[in-house]
């Protein structure tokens, strides 16, 4: 973020984050979610975002996969290009929706043949034209079953090819899963039920989890505490949306069932203008990130909506960008001379 978009930082926040980021090896992980371009005209903007995100050296980026595999071709194309043309480590979303076990096996094989070594295994939401989720007659019922299938596919590939077995030793298959701090709205499940599901996914072979969005650090800290008590040991990464756009937040609320705090909507709605709204949203997001990291989160996964500016502003405000975007600390600048942020999402 340039000086024109830097956020003022309070001494307390700066001290806390400075203590966390001691070396490159123990810095919190950072990662982003992307989705394939919905049409060819959107591709250049997406790649502008990808190059900007690449500058902060994220640990990985996840790539979404539409219901019933509707973005199968574009997801695979995006993953292939990320592998071949960037330094990024992509994780491909994979769902059980509308797909047989045989079809999933084929899809996984295609990804593995491209060189992909990481998946996010999801049950998935029903297609937009279906109100209820239903398994394919020859498909899978749960994300845990999908994790098991991924492990079985990899094991069989290693049995079939000694060369693949060696490569698998060098680059082991990584499988992530989802966690729901407030319970899974799509299934009507409670947080306790999601903790039980998370334990089952761990037992199936999951390596780590990424949470659905939340707006209160206690929601994340609560599910982690309950999960640890239940025997879940895998890392649980908080999934966070930069809170700069109230319309988007309300849309996320509609889709996920996760309520947006009314005081956050009021905070953004009472901004003097778009620039002030961006500043307020970033500051609120920084507070949330600091809350989960101070509570022991291993890192943060940011839902970007294929836009990089708010995500990078958030990382810089939380001192997680590794100094990739150098800007002065504006806390001591006179109020009437400090540069104001320019919203770019």
């Amino acid at each position: 973020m340039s000086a024109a978009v830097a956020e003022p930082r309070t001494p307390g926040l700066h001290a806390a984050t400075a203590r966390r980021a001691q070396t490159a090896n123990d810095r919190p992980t950072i990662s982003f979610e992307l989705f394939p371009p919905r049409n060819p005209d959107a591709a250049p903007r997406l790649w502008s975002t990808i190059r900007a995100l690449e500058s902060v050296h994220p640990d990985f980026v996840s790539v979404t996969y539409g219901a019933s595999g509707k973005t199968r071709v574009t997801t695979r194309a995006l993953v292939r290009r990320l592998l071949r043309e960037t330094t990024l480590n992509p994780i491909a979303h994979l769902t059980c929706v509308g797909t047989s076990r045989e079809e999933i096996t084929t899809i996984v094989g295609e990804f593995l043949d491209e060189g992909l070594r990481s998946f996010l295994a999801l049950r998935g939401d029903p297609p937009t034209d279906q109100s209820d989720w239903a398994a394919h007659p020859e498909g899978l019922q749960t994300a845990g079953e999908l994790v098991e299938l991924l492990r079985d596919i990899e094991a069989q590939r290693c049995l079939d090819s000694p060369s693949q077995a060696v490569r698998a030793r060098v680059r082991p298959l990584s499988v992530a899963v989802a966690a729901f701090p407030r319970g899974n709205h799509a299934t009507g499940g409670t947080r306790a039920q999601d903790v039980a599901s998370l334990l089952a996914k761990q037992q199936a072979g999951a390596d780590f989890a990424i949470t659905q969005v939340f707006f209160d650090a206690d929601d994340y800290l609560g599910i982690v505490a309950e999960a640890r008590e239940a025997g879940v040991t895998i890392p649980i990464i908080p999934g966070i949306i930069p809170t700069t756009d109230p319309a988007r937040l309300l849309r996320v609320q509609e889709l996920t069932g996760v309520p947006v705090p009314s005081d956050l909507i009021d905070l953004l709605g009472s901004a003097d203008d778009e620039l002030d709204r961006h500043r307020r949203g970033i500051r609120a997001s920084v507070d949330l990130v600091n809350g989960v990291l101070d509570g022991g989160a291993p890192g943060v996964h940011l839902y970007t909506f294929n836009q990089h500016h708010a995500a990078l502003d958030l990382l810089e405000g939380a001192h997680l960008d590794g100094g990739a975007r150098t800007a002065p600390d504006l806390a001591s600048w006179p109020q009437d001379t400090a540069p104001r942020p320019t919203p770019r999402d």
Side-chain angles (χ1 to χ4, degrees):
M1 182 167 63
S2 67
V5 293
E7 280 291 307
R9 295 155 186 151
T10 66
L13 289 180
H14 187 283
T17 51
R19 286 194 300 271
R20 279 198 304 268
Q22 295 177 1
T23 70
N25 288 333
D26 65 6
R27 73 161 192 170
T29 64
I30 58 173
S31 52
F32 306 103
E33 180 183 275
L34 303 170
F35 54 80
R38 293 192 170 99
N39 57 68
D41 292 340
R45 181 176 180 181
L46 169 61
W47 278 92
S48 175
T49 286
I50 288 170
R51 293 306 181 187
L53 298 178
E54 189 177 20
S55 71
V56 297
H57 309 292
D59 294 272
F60 63 87
V61 295
S62 69
V63 181
T64 65
Y65 188 84
S68 298
K70 66 182 181 182
T71 66
R72 172 178 172 180
V73 173
T74 52
T75 295
R76 183 181 169 193
L78 178 55
V79 167
R80 180 193 302 121
R81 190 172 174 189
L82 289 170
L83 288 167
R84 295 181 179 180
E85 299 181 23
T86 76
T87 61
L88 298 172
N89 176 30
I91 294 181
H93 291 212
L94 193 64
T95 76
C96 306
V97 180
T99 313
S100 70
R101 184 183 183 93
E102 182 178 354
E103 289 171 324
I104 294 173
T105 300
T106 299
I107 292 166
V108 171
E110 292 172 350
F111 277 121
L112 292 173
D113 288 343
E114 295 287 357
L116 183 76
R117 300 298 297 161
S118 300
F119 293 90
L120 175 58
L122 307 165
R123 190 201 70 163
D125 297 327
T128 54
D129 60 347
Q130 296 181 17
S131 58
D132 298 320
W133 193 91
H136 187 283
E138 299 174 358
L140 306 176
Q141 294 277 353
T142 68
E145 291 179 3
L146 182 53
V147 174
E148 290 181 348
L149 178 58
L150 284 164
R151 293 298 180 195
D152 289 345
I153 292 169
E154 174 72 351
Q156 187 61 53
R157 286 168 66 94
C158 290
L159 286 174
D160 292 343
S161 168
S163 299
Q164 175 60 27
V166 172
R167 294 189 183 99
R169 295 280 183 169
V170 176
R171 296 181 61 215
L173 187 71
S174 172
V175 182
V177 293
F180 299 85
R182 297 178 63 94
N184 189 341
H185 176 74
T187 64
T190 64
R191 185 161 76 184
Q193 290 171 322
D194 188 62
V195 166
S197 175
L198 189 56
L199 180 60
K201 287 184 275 192
Q202 173 181 283
Q203 293 168 340
D207 293 301
F208 64 98
I210 302 171
T211 77
Q212 189 183 58
V213 296
F214 58 91
F215 300 99
D216 188 325
D218 286 341
D219 287 337
Y220 168 78
L221 299 177
I223 192 174
V224 171
E226 291 185 30
R228 298 295 179 243
E229 181 68 21
V232 175
T233 58
I234 59 175
I236 302 173
I237 302 172
I240 292 174
I241 175 176
T243 55
T244 57
D245 184 343
R248 176 175 293 158
L249 296 179
L250 293 174
R251 176 59 174 160
V252 168
Q253 173 180 280
E254 178 184 347
L255 292 173
T256 65
V258 177
V260 181
S262 58
D263 57 350
L264 176 58
I265 296 297
D266 291 343
L267 175 72
L268 299 176
S270 62
D272 294 336
D273 51 35
E274 201 171 352
L275 305 178
D276 186 37
R277 186 189 73 187
H278 181 85
R279 174 185 292 160
R280 293 180 181 208
I282 291 299
R283 188 178 296 280
S285 299
V286 168
D287 288 343
L288 180 58
V289 167
N290 282 332
V292 296
L293 292 179
D294 289 343
V300 292
H301 184 69
L302 302 185
Y303 296 105
T304 68
F305 295 87
N306 283 7
Q307 298 175 358
H308 62 275
H309 300 292
L312 294 184
D313 289 352
L314 170 53
L315 290 181
E316 186 180 2
H319 303 276
L320 294 175
D321 65 340
R325 305 159 85 212
T326 303
D329 189 324
L330 303 186
S332 62
W333 284 39
Q335 186 66 30
D336 59 347
T337 61
R340 301 187 68 187
T342 301
R344 297 164 292 180
D345 280 359

